[in-house]
Amino acid sequence: KAGVTQTPRYLIKTRGQQVTLSCSPISGHRSVSWYQQTPGQGLQFLFEYFSETQRNKGNFPGRFSGRQFSNSRSEMNVSTLELGDSALYLCASSFGTGREAFFGQGTRLTVV
Amino acid sequence: AQKITQTQPGMFVQEKEAVTLDCTYDTSDPSYGLFWYKQPSSGEMIFLIYQGSYDQQNATEGRYSLNFQKARKSANLVISASQLGDSAMYFCAMREVSGGGADGLTFGKGTHLIIQP
């Protein structure tokens, strides 16, 4: 069974640009959530999608958005990038709000 | 207030010894799940073990066990017979279920475990 796949693995962007990250969950999983990990703030919840609906969003500005497609794949978008957006972005997949949540390898975003 | 507290920023342990990583949590939700993840330097978060708040038995997965003390709001991870490959960051996390679990996982700040030969 394939795991959670995140693409790309690494990104370098310039301040002010926008970026789209992709996450393909484990087959059969309908819930995808996104997290930002930085040395200063640790792991922080961004948002969660279930069956194409955003169920909740963490305390992040509107520049951070996402969506989920009918095949459960999810994308997150960050517009008008700032230096502070440099982070490891992790996607987690689960069947529901169940007993296990599996993460992908993450996308490491560097904003210069 | 912090919902997940990991009081050990770093630990050094001799290979083959057992390790206990501490985690305390705070919630008023009667239904919640507790998770432990391992994050090697590569960055991937590896799921280790899960404990539900209503589970009667402590969870075990191979060399990993979760010492769940509900009254103390404690969910310590125990690694038996540590190996060099266990060196990594370890995160404790919680999901509160009663709200539909839609707030995602709340993580602690992690413990950096180093296994010495």
Side-chain angles (χ1 to χ4, degrees):
Chain A
K1 196 175 192 181
V4 180
T5 303
Q6 289 189 247
T7 56
R9 291 289 312 279
Y10 302 93
L11 267 179
I12 300 176
K13 289 286 188 179
T14 304
R15 211 167 25 167
Q17 287 185 315
Q18 74 165 10
V19 67
T20 299
L21 313 182
S22 178
C23 172
S24 293
I26 292 170
S27 178
H29 284 191
R30 296 165 65 190
S31 175
V32 173
S33 51
W34 290 87
Y35 297 83
Q36 181 196 64
Q37 185 177 25
T38 59
Q41 298 298 318
L43 282 147
Q44 294 184 282
F45 170 70
L46 277 159
F47 27 64
E48 180 166 3
Y49 288 88
F50 184 83
S51 294
E52 301 179 66
T53 300
Q54 185 182 93
R55 299 203 300 169
N56 207 349
K57 185 174 180 180
N59 189 24
F60 280 84
R63 300 185 296 107
F64 291 80
S65 63
R67 58 178 175 169
Q68 187 181 32
F69 301 95
S70 58
N71 61 358
S72 294
R73 189 178 72 86
S74 177
E75 289 181 346
M76 67 163 279
N77 184 276
V78 187
S79 62
T80 319
L81 284 165
E82 300 177 359
L83 296 179
D85 297 333
S86 295
L88 179 66
Y89 289 89
L90 291 159
C91 160
S93 149
S94 60
F95 183 74
T97 55
R99 304 178 69 84
E100 296 168 326
F102 296 96
F103 282 80
Q105 291 185 298
T107 294
R108 193 167 294 277
L109 171 65
T110 302
V111 182
V112 298
Chain B
Q2 273 190 326
K3 286 193 171 183
I4 298 286
T5 302
Q6 294 181 252
T7 57
Q8 306 151 308
M11 286 184 72
F12 288 87
V13 174
Q14 289 296 119
E15 190 180 8
K16 299 181 184 174
E17 289 185 351
V19 183
T20 297
L21 303 181
D22 295 340
C23 173
T24 57
Y25 60 92
D26 184 27
T27 181
S28 56
D29 190 337
S31 181
Y32 52 90
L34 295 158
F35 302 72
W36 276 94
Y37 288 90
K38 171 185 178 182
Q39 187 177 44
S41 55
S42 60
E44 182 180 7
M45 295 286 282
I46 301 168
F47 169 78
L48 295 178
I49 198 165
Y50 170 90
Q51 180 84 43
S53 58
Y54 293 117
D55 292 344
Q56 295 296 313
Q57 306 278 350
N58 284 347
T60 59
E61 291 284 348
R63 294 187 300 114
Y64 304 106
S65 60
L66 199 152
N67 184 2
F68 181 46
Q69 297 186 45
K70 195 170 181 176
R72 296 180 60 187
K73 293 189 174 178
S74 167
N76 297 341
L77 176 71
V78 180
I79 306 173
S80 63
S82 57
Q83 302 170 356
L84 296 178
D86 294 333
S87 295
M89 284 293 291
Y90 287 80
F91 291 95
C92 179
M94 176 177 65
R95 181 199 290 270
E96 294 164 318
V97 178
S98 294
D103 291 338
L105 294 170
T106 300
F107 286 87
K109 294 190 181 298
T111 295
H112 189 190
L113 176 65
I114 297 174
I115 307 298
Q116 297 176 311

